[in-house]
Amino acid sequence: MTSENIQHLAAMIIYMLAVVCIGIYFAKRANKNAESYFLGGRSLGPWVAAFSAEASDMSGWLLMGLPGLAYWTGLADAGWTAIGLFVGTYLNWLIVSKRLRRYSTRLDAITIPGFFSKRFHEKKKLILTVSSLFIIIFFTVYAGQCLASCGKLFMNLFGLGYHQMMIIAAVFVLFYTFLGGFLAESASDFMQAVVMIIALVVIFLLAILNAGGLGAVIDNAKSYDGFFSLLKTATPSTETVNTFGAGKSFSILSIASAFAWGLGYFGMPQVLLRFMGIRSEKELTRSRRVACIWLFIAMGAALMIGVVGRSVPDINYLSNAEAENIFIDTATRFLPPILAGFACAGILAASISSSDSYLLISTSALAENVYHGIVKKNATDKEVMWVSRISMALITVIAMIIAWDSNSTIFGITSFAWAGFGATFGPLMLFSLFWKRTTYAGALAGMISGGAMVFFWKLVLNGRGGIFDIYCLLPAFIVSAIVIVVVSLCGKKPAGEIAADYDAVAANKQ
């Protein structure tokens, strides 16, 4: 290991120790009871809620997947995806956050499956069970993406084996999440959000300077057909560096497909839990502003790092998977080793902040919703938390299996899990909060149809050309919404306590 590698490693160890210290600090409060462990006792401040929501949501995809896509095909695909995500973030904070905070408090719900179950006062716990299973499936995929980010980071930075590094990252994340639960996770996510945005902005500015300035970057990007356009996409060669064929039109269907990423936010448990966990509904307005500003700067910098990368001398890739190293390579090239280590800790920050969220929410689905809600209703908080930790270890192992292929793209893994959550929970969340006529049967049918359509579209229809190449989130979201409406209208109107709860929340009562 070279002296530069040692400095990189030292910086990352310092960062990881800081994360562990946060976990230890919050461990006592987190283990007080299940609500403290899974939702932090609804005590998040507005800045922590905003930063932790965005950091846990973005993951290594922001520092590796998005810049890599922008480097590979240009502005169109990555740009419309970023625009869709920004619009989705704003609308989610504006429309969903306050109503969900109020509703979940009234129902005393501390998980998303628990909220859906209590919203419809179900007795057979079908919604609780099915939603918990979907969370486990899609978050395990998501956790795999985070571990893949860590593996690629250490492989590229230290020249070490991908699989060994991924396993070490998994062990660290598992140990850290064991310690402090939701509060520790949210507090560290706040710090990690700060690290991420500083790293992105610094690398972006340094890349521009070393590429000859913004003007030179734009001129170079325009020289590749379709690269610097939102209406065309570039077609890079996989054999000769910086060689492109004729650009392809980025159709209305493609724009809708990329923009549809924004729909995913309405069903993202890691973000929705921050709405539920904030200490006061009144502070959500400030959180929305903070979150949107952070996201605008972070995604803008990440997108442009990929574009600028095409103008940086001696940085060349021949595949999208390779291009996802653009952030790491620019950091190590333009920063002193110790600072490069801290910059790359931004990737570690993103991956940790997301994977601990995914593991915690997945295991809460098993421990709190399935074990405590169905298997053993008189289970103590201590039992629930131990079941959670055992489940967490098992899910981590499965996530490592998913991430085992070092050639898979982070963007590709993320897109599938994102579609799964968006279609399974997004329509149901919106209808649960804002349509009184939603029935138990409609909720269950809509959730199952949305999740099933993601698999069917992705595995069976996708790749057949034309409309079938659209991002699976969009058709699955539409199908889920239609099923909820049709099935609900075919049944009796909700009455009794279900209607009373809805009316109270709509009237701004908890």
Side-chain angles (χ1 to χ4, degrees), residues 103 118-121 436 438 494-503:
Y103 222 144
K118 292 181 178 182
R119 162 66 173 83
F120 296 100
H121 291 255
K436 184 178 179 179
T438 307
E497 293 182 349
I498 296 177
D501 285 338
Y502 183 93
D503 290 338

Side-chain angles (χ1 to χ4, degrees), residues 348-496:
L348 196 62
S351 300
I352 291 172
S353 63
S354 297
S355 53
D356 60 9
S357 291
Y358 304 155
L359 290 176
L360 189 63
I361 296 170
S362 299
T363 53
S364 72
L366 269 175
E368 177 64 22
N369 300 325
V370 178
Y371 181 75
H372 189 200
I374 300 172
V375 177
K376 189 177 181 181
K377 296 183 179 180
N378 62 343
T380 65
D381 283 337
K382 187 175 182 180
E383 288 178 314
V384 171
M385 285 186 279
W386 271 111
V387 171
S388 171
R389 291 185 172 107
I390 294 170
S391 303
M392 195 178 296
L394 294 174
I395 290 172
T396 302
V397 171
I398 298 172
M400 285 191 291
I401 295 172
I402 292 172
W404 201 253
D405 182 6
S406 60
N407 292 318
S408 61
T409 65
I410 294 168
F411 192 91
I413 299 174
T414 303
S415 67
F416 178 72
W418 185 269
F421 281 122
T424 303
F425 298 135
L428 178 56
M429 179 58 71
L430 293 173
F431 281 107
S432 295
L433 295 176
F434 298 104
W435 194 39
K436 184 178 179 179
R437 188 66 175 78
T438 307
T439 65
Y440 171 74
L444 184 61
M447 182 171 58
I448 293 174
S449 63
M453 180 55 73
V454 169
F455 281 96
F456 182 72
W457 195 279
K458 177 71 174 179
L459 301 178
V460 178
L461 300 179
N462 197 243
R464 294 173 179 263
I467 194 171
F468 296 116
D469 283 342
I470 198 169
Y471 182 30
C472 57
L473 171 55
L474 184 56
F477 193 98
I478 294 172
V479 167
S480 178
I482 291 173
V483 169
I484 290 173
V485 172
V486 171
V487 175
S488 293
L489 291 177
C490 289
K492 294 182 179 180
K493 293 181 179 180

